[in-house]
Amino acid sequence: MFGSRRLDAESPAAPTTVAPSPVEPTTATSPTAQSQAPTAKPRAPKTHRHDVDVMRVLAGLTVMLGHSGGVLIGRSDEGSNAWWLGHFAEAVNPWAVPMFFMIAGWAVLAGAPPRTEAKMWDRIVRHFIPLTAWSIIFVLGFNLFETDEVDVRHELVRSLLEAGRPAFHLWYLYAYIPLILVFGTLILFWKGQRPWKLAALAIVLGGSTVWAPFALEMIGSDQDAWKWGFATYQVVYFVIGAFVIQHAQELRPPIWTLCLLFAVSAIGVLWWESRRSYPIENANPLIVGLAVSVILLVSRIRLGERTKKIFTTMATASFGAFLVHVFFLELFFEHLFDVDAAPVLLVIQYPGLLALMAALSYGLSFAWGKLHLRRILG
């Protein structure tokens, strides 16, 4: 999904090398023997999916768009210009987080299925360590500025169970990690391996929504929240994403129908959130329309070599940018954005602060990547 893509044997970006055959002594062989010798077919190299890089980058940027819109909605009076601006931003945003699950489904089930238990553990660790690190960073960081609002001990304990304020955006990792764990383990069993440690962890985490609340109640804990595990809709996105992304080049409806699907779905989201219920549930069918149209539209784009390199580079930093952007969201849209400004000024300051938030988030992500901290910070 996000994060650095290791060019190991599992990755669709991995270059395929063919080892030269050892030179053997020349021996006389009959034409019959030569004709009966089996011919080994070389394995076709996996091509790098640059369209998936684009999806990853767009999803990360769209999350920032939606989160900033949500802040405007929360700070503004209903029906004001800033309130509507926030809702327009939110209307095109809800597909982004489900896209994380869809890309994960494609990677685990089709694009780069795990080949060994060790590789599966590596995938889990590459997401769990940044989740842990940023849970601590956000609690301590926000405590420096909002001491009265952040109970450090409570929030650190809570982060073991679920994502809370201020690291609210990390919630999807509490479902993402169990998802790739369960399906990755099933893939390994299907391949004939027996990863019993992974299987045990998959059973514990996959069934934790049943046993964890009961266990917390039995020990008398005042922590009643438990978000490790996944919901049915997340499994649906996981599987749909695997199929649609894998076969995107074959699923080629007219572009105008995809644009129409996206527009109609976005208008539906705008109506739903402004008139019915905000925020829209991730399981809403309108979000499926947004996500599928984005996948099929992006798959039709033909990129030049330079553009491919740009998106591939940005994709390596997208996970980190997503993780850190909430700091700038708080600064720019909670404190600096003037929700009572005139319409023209609203239109000017919103894309300006949004672009600045994205630039700083990606800049920091690239910086710790250069310092070889991506394993810790994502």
Side-chain angles (χ1 to χ4, degrees), residues 331-371:
L331 173 63
F332 296 150
F333 291 93
E334 286 281 2
H335 298 291
L336 298 182
F337 194 96
D338 183 4
V339 295
D340 297 318
V344 173
L345 185 56
L346 285 176
V347 173
I348 292 174
Q349 65 177 330
Y350 182 72
L353 290 176
L354 183 65
L356 185 58
M357 176 174 66
L360 290 173
S361 299
Y362 269 93
L364 276 178
S365 182
F366 281 123
W368 70 63
K370 291 289 186 181
L371 295 173

Side-chain angles (χ1 to χ4, degrees), residues 42-288:
R43 179 182 296 174
K46 290 184 177 180
T47 57
H48 184 67
R49 290 290 298 270
H50 293 283
D51 57 331
V52 176
D53 288 338
V54 177
M55 293 174 206
R56 292 164 65 193
V57 173
L58 289 181
L61 293 174
T62 304
V63 166
M64 299 181 194
L65 176 71
H67 283 169
S68 59
V71 172
L72 297 189
I73 293 171
R75 290 185 57 207
S76 308
D77 296 328
E78 183 174 349
S80 66
N81 291 327
W83 187 84
W84 277 111
L85 178 60
H87 271 296
F88 279 114
E90 279 276 20
V92 296
N93 157 73
W95 63 270
V97 173
M99 184 66 71
F100 298 165
F101 294 112
M102 299 176 91
I103 293 175
W106 168 78
V108 172
L109 300 178
R115 293 184 180 179
T116 64
E117 183 176 1
K119 293 298 183 183
M120 196 62 239
W121 280 113
D122 184 66
R123 292 188 185 192
I124 295 168
V125 169
R126 275 190 285 153
H127 291 88
F128 181 76
I129 291 179
L131 168 61
T132 303
W134 283 102
S135 297
I136 297 171
I137 291 170
F138 273 105
V139 170
L140 298 181
F142 273 78
N143 183 63
L144 294 176
F145 302 101
E146 301 180 35
T147 306
D148 295 334
E149 297 186 23
V150 180
D151 184 332
V152 173
R153 186 174 65 176
H154 174 81
E155 292 297 337
L156 287 177
V157 173
R158 184 184 178 186
S159 66
L160 299 174
L161 311 177
E162 67 165 348
R165 193 204 178 281
F168 65 91
H169 64 309
L170 302 182
W171 70 265
Y172 91 93
L173 287 170
Y174 290 78
Y176 180 93
I177 292 173
L179 263 177
I180 63 172
L181 166 64
V182 169
F183 280 90
T185 302
L186 290 174
I187 288 290
L188 291 174
F189 271 99
W190 181 71
K191 290 182 175 181
Q193 300 183 43
R194 296 296 179 264
W196 297 116
K197 293 180 181 178
L198 278 176
L201 182 59
I203 292 172
V204 170
L205 269 189
S208 64
T209 53
V210 176
W211 63 260
F214 174 78
L216 289 171
E217 182 179 357
M218 291 300 295
I219 64 175
S221 173
D222 60 354
Q223 298 282 353
D224 58 356
W226 180 268
K227 291 298 186 292
W228 287 101
F230 44 83
T232 302
Y233 82 88
Q234 292 160 348
V235 177
V236 171
Y237 281 127
F238 196 86
V239 175
I240 288 178
F243 177 81
V244 177
I245 294 176
Q246 181 68 10
H247 298 285
Q249 294 297 328
E250 304 165 41
L251 302 171
R252 300 177 65 84
I255 291 180
W256 69 268
T257 62
L258 297 174
C259 295
L260 180 62
L261 175 60
F262 185 90
V264 170
S265 300
I267 292 171
V269 171
L270 178 63
W271 173 84
W272 189 282
E273 291 190 325
S274 62
R275 294 289 180 253
R276 187 180 177 92
S277 174
Y278 174 80
I280 194 170
E281 299 81 3
N282 281 320
N284 195 297
L286 290 169
I287 299 178
V288 179

Side-chain angles (χ1 to χ4, degrees), residues 312-335:
T312 300
T313 302
M314 290 186 67
T316 64
S318 287
F319 186 34
F322 165 82
L323 293 172
V324 75
H325 84 277
V326 171
F327 277 123
F328 303 112
L329 176 73
E330 181 85 6
L331 173 63
F332 296 150
F333 291 93
E334 286 281 2
H335 298 291

